Amino acid sequence: QVQLVESGGGLVQAGGSLRLSCTTSGRTFSSYTMGWFRQAPGKEREFVATIRWSLGYTYYADSVKGRFTISRDNAKNTVYLQMNSLKPEDTAVYYCAADPNPSTLTAVQNGMRYWGKGTLVTVSS
């Protein structure tokens, strides 16, 4: 059974940093596209960043480019999202997701097959 478990959310002041973790289990994700998405109150879920696990190719939403970094640790089967220079508009529930398609565009268009339950990030002004 595939499981994605997010952790690391919390309350932080604007300008601060947080690192989210997504611990994976249930299968080998080496050929997968892994991603972080977020949903702010009253808004639709949006793409944040993806990484192709095997090659490490990364993609970012324009709104987080230069501030957030997605990475993975093969030994720990974990994907991270390092978030720096946080803004109040980054407040959202952050979800980890995985899709077997190694193409980021296709994986995101497909809606990502597996999802975690999310972790709340609140950025105060």
Side-chain angles (χ1 to χ4, degrees), residues 10-57:
L11 175 64
V12 63
Q13 288 188 332
S17 298
L18 281 176
R19 187 177 79 160
L20 305 183
S21 299
C22 173
T23 303
T24 69
S25 62
R27 67 174 60 239
T28 300
F29 289 88
S30 59
S31 63
Y32 276 50
T33 292
M34 306 297 297
W36 287 96
F37 295 75
R38 66 186 182 186
Q39 187 167 19
K43 296 187 177 181
E44 293 188 354
R45 188 171 60 198
E46 65 176 2
F47 161 78
V48 174
T50 57
I51 185 168
R52 185 182 298 186
W53 195 300
S54 58
L55 299 177
Y57 295 158

Side-chain angles (χ1 to χ4, degrees), residues 57-104:
Y57 295 158
T58 59
Y59 301 91
Y60 297 93
D62 288 342
S63 59
V64 306
K65 203 171 292 183
R67 300 188 297 123
F68 291 10
T69 303
I70 187 171
S71 62
R72 82 276 192 244
D73 184 323
N74 292 333
K76 296 182 178 180
N77 296 320
T78 300
V79 177
Y80 301 100
L81 185 68
Q82 177 66 44
M83 305 185 296
N84 298 329
S85 302
L86 283 161
K87 305 175 182 179
E89 52 263 44
D90 294 318
T91 295
V93 177
Y94 284 71
Y95 297 92
C96 177
D99 193 272
N101 200 305
S103 164
T104 288

